[in-house]
Amino acid sequence: METRESQRTARERRRHLFILNPISFASTVELERMKAQIVACFPPATHDESAARTERAKGKPPAPDILNSTASTRDASDATPEFLIHVSRYPRDAICTILRYHARLNGEQLRVYAVGGDGIMFDCLNGLMGLPNTELAIVPRGTGNDFCRSFGAKNYARFQDIRQQIDAPSIPADVIRCNGHYALNFCALGAEASALFSTLPLTKRFHDLRRKFTHLNQLFYCAGGVRATLNDALLHQQYEITADGHKMSGEFVLLNIANARYYSVGSMVIAGAMPNDGVLDMLTLRSIRRSYLYRNLRRYLTGNYRKSRPFNVDEKFCYQRVQHIEISSPSPVTINLDGEAFFDSGATIDVLPNAVNVVNVGGVPYEEGWDVL
């Protein structure tokens, strides 16, 4: 157990980079309130927030090196701000910000806070990968934030507390690497991945409602899945799959590769997935009749597909724990990584054991999973 003195020393050697996704806040007032909460967590003597506000009031542009940011240093000679707040301007903006900030460090530890949903977490993770002496803190403000659920539902609210995030320890987590991109929760291919695109018009149009009524997210996702499976090419797409040397081929409607058990706003398809076991849990479903798929969609999303009838589950589903997967298809492949969509001709997927340190508020372990097959 860390003493207060060791925690204080570690904090003094640490730098904090807060990446805020503005669409995760209902209004500009709410966004500014979050900034104020962050600033309040640091000693008042280190603030130059008042100066930053003065510069904005005069209409001066932000600093050219890191835009839209609020910085604070312990003293005027400090080359690197103790903490910095950056409001993300577009997808992947956080990656460049993290790289620039990390390049200014002189051996200090960097803790990056992803304040928003799964999208900003994806950006921050991809910005951190490969950088030494870094940690990822996930501050749930979006509609998903599924990785925080890996620590148990009763601990979820703790991750929303900025002050606890600053002083909390970290815990290693495995990472999915797919075609040069990185994910914490899952990688899906096929009709399930295409469902993401089908839901985009709905999720954008009803963004505020989704924040207020989170159950709408699963409803939209199911609607997107139904729409995706109306495409016969997706329902019967040909794949060649090699998983740790084991080869499969044929028509598959979905391929789900999990590092953690939750995804898509609390769905739990592969309940046995653990983010610290050094393996990926892969579930594939061969093509089946559309009516059977619709009838058992909810059971699939809750991990109860062994109860699915009338088709033979053991013949259609294949569950494996693997470390390396190669997937190819004669048709374009849709890939969904933690809610971010990509197109490619195939996928090379690996697990990177203990590749990132995730801030663990409360010091609780990962919630134990269980097998459903």
Side-chain angles (χ1 to χ4, degrees), residues 234-365:
L234 287 174
L235 197 62
H236 300 283
Q237 186 163 349
Q238 289 279 344
Y239 290 94
E240 295 283 341
I241 306 170
T242 303
D244 284 352
H246 175 69
K247 295 186 177 182
M248 298 184 294
S249 62
E251 296 181 352
F252 292 85
V253 64
L254 62 87
L255 301 89
N256 196 323
I257 300 157
N259 182 50
R261 58 198 307 202
Y262 294 100
Y263 86 112
S264 183
V265 199
S267 296
M268 191 170 54
V269 174
I270 305 177
M274 290 290 293
N276 64 344
D277 58 4
V279 296
L280 299 175
D281 296 64
M282 183 177 76
L283 182 70
T284 59
L285 174 61
R286 293 186 179 271
S287 295
I288 57 177
R289 283 197 291 180
R290 191 176 286 114
S291 60
Y292 294 170
L293 184 63
Y294 295 162
R295 192 179 305 169
N296 294 288
L297 181 60
R298 180 170 179 79
R299 285 176 176 167
Y300 167 75
L301 291 175
T302 56
N304 292 316
Y305 31 82
R306 258 208 174 279
K307 301 177 182 178
S308 301
R309 292 295 183 268
F311 60 83
N312 188 323
V313 175
D314 295 319
E315 290 181 359
K316 295 297 183 179
F317 280 102
C318 179
Y319 174 64
Q320 303 175 69
R321 286 181 171 168
V322 297
Q323 293 181 311
H324 177 76
I325 309 162
E326 294 183 3
I327 301 171
S328 62
S329 174
S331 304
V333 176
T334 307
I335 304 171
N336 183 345
L337 284 171
D338 282 354
E340 302 298 307
F342 303 89
F343 289 106
D344 214 317
S345 58
T348 299
I349 303 166
D350 298 283
V351 60
L352 305 179
N354 299 331
V356 66
N357 289 314
V358 178
V359 174
N360 177 16
V361 181
V364 295

Side-chain angles (χ1 to χ4, degrees), residues 14-33:
R14 183 183 295 143
R15 294 295 181 261
H16 307 265
L17 176 57
F18 296 86
I19 307 291
L20 278 59
N21 189 352
I23 68 170
S24 296
F25 297 87
S27 64
T28 304
V29 172
E30 190 174 314
L31 177 62
E32 291 299 321
R33 188 179 297 123

Side-chain angles (χ1 to χ4, degrees), residues 181-210:
H181 303 286
Y182 302 93
L184 271 179
N185 286 309
F186 74 98
C187 172
L189 298 88
E192 186 166 10
S194 298
L196 170 68
F197 290 99
S198 301
T199 60
L200 286 179
L202 287 173
T203 55
K204 289 182 178 179
R205 182 176 180 181
F206 299 103
H207 177 74
D208 292 339
L209 282 177
R210 288 170 57 231

